[in-house]
Amino acid sequence: MEFLWDGLRQAVELLLEGDDAVLGIVAVTLRLAFWSTLIALGLGLPLGVALGLGRFRGRGSALALANAGMGLPPVLVGLFVALLLFRGAPLGGLNLLYTLEGVVLAQAVLALPIVVALTASAVQSLPDGLLAQARAFGASRPAVAVLALREARVGVLAATIAAVGSAFAEVGAVVLVGGNIDGQTQTLASAVLVRVSAGEYGRAIALGIVLLGLVLILAAVLTVVQQRRPRAAAARPS
């Protein structure tokens, strides 16, 4: 129990004193979560809607691939991305290895199947008559896709929460692709690993508490947004 209390005390001290090292790690973590989630949503939402609404050959295989992708081992993805980024490799000219941008790329690859699979599932669960009615009124495909995303917003925000959580918890890709460089690519999760390896258990617990606090705050904010009803629906009489 002393370890926990010591970690909690250090976490409070680090935050109140504005420890530059901790604030830098928090900033890197937030940047990683923001950009990787943004990329995953930008690519994954259209793909998820296409798989949820489309009726084409190979759709079932694509859905199975997306679902399987949610369980991809982060270390394996990190290794694959790192191999692509080595000098002489197909993406070596981008010079992204051991940079935050490279870690963002690896994390986006990890988050993409999560967004695709959860979005497709949310869209598939919509009532059949809703989208059929929109098509009957002459709605274009993009308009139907936007309507599907709006109506499936609970599932879409669940995908967002999962993608952000994945970025916060990631260690394998950070180490393999980013090198876990202090002040550059080290995140809260990978910093905890370093502190434990160095025997600095109090500081490791403190960083873990900071990480947990970030996860809870962002998850709470996204959950509030997720559960809010549109004004038109809220104003509709029962």
Side-chain angles (χ1 to χ4, degrees):
M1 289 299 294
E2 291 184 8
F3 277 114
L4 293 177
W5 286 116
D6 184 50
L8 181 60
R9 178 182 56 79
Q10 287 193 39
V12 173
E13 290 177 353
L14 290 173
L15 291 176
L16 292 180
E17 294 174 1
D19 186 279
D20 291 338
V22 174
L23 293 178
I25 296 173
V26 170
V28 170
T29 304
L30 291 176
R31 287 170 60 193
L32 170 62
F34 176 79
W35 288 111
S36 63
T37 301
L38 188 64
I39 294 171
L41 289 175
L43 298 175
L45 290 180
L47 290 174
V49 171
L51 290 177
L53 297 180
R55 296 294 183 270
F56 52 88
R57 188 174 183 180
R59 172 174 170 270
S61 298
L63 282 170
L65 188 62
N67 289 328
M70 291 195 294
L72 281 175
V75 172
L76 182 61
V77 173
L79 175 61
F80 177 75
V81 174
L83 291 175
L84 289 177
L85 296 178
F86 281 136
R87 288 189 177 182
L91 300 180
L94 298 177
N95 296 319
L96 294 179
L97 193 62
Y98 303 133
T99 66
L100 182 58
E101 289 77 11
V103 179
V104 168
L105 174 62
Q107 180 54 39
V109 172
L110 281 168
L112 181 59
I114 296 174
V115 174
V116 172
L118 293 182
T119 300
S121 177
V123 170
Q124 283 180 305
S125 66
L126 294 175
D128 295 333
L130 176 66
L131 301 181
Q133 186 178 21
R135 295 188 183 98
F137 279 106
S140 62
R141 287 187 177 181
V144 172
V146 171
L147 174 63
L149 282 176
R150 188 182 68 188
E151 295 299 321
R153 61 190 174 279
V154 172
V156 170
L157 281 167
T160 305
I161 294 171
V164 172
S166 173
F168 279 150
E170 183 49 45
V171 174
V174 173
V175 173
L176 289 173
V177 178
N180 198 23
I181 302 172
D182 189 13
Q184 298 182 37
T185 61
Q186 189 175 84
T187 63
L188 282 168
S190 63
V192 170
L193 179 64
V194 171
R195 298 301 184 274
V196 170
S197 300
E200 300 176 8
Y201 297 108
R203 195 169 180 84
I205 294 173
L207 290 171
I209 291 172
V210 174
L211 175 59
L212 180 60
L214 278 179
V215 171
L216 291 177
I217 290 172
L218 286 177
V221 171
L222 289 173
T223 301
V224 169
V225 174
Q226 180 190 51
Q227 298 302 321
R228 288 177 68 182
R229 295 182 178 181
R231 293 181 180 178
R236 188 182 305 160
S238 57

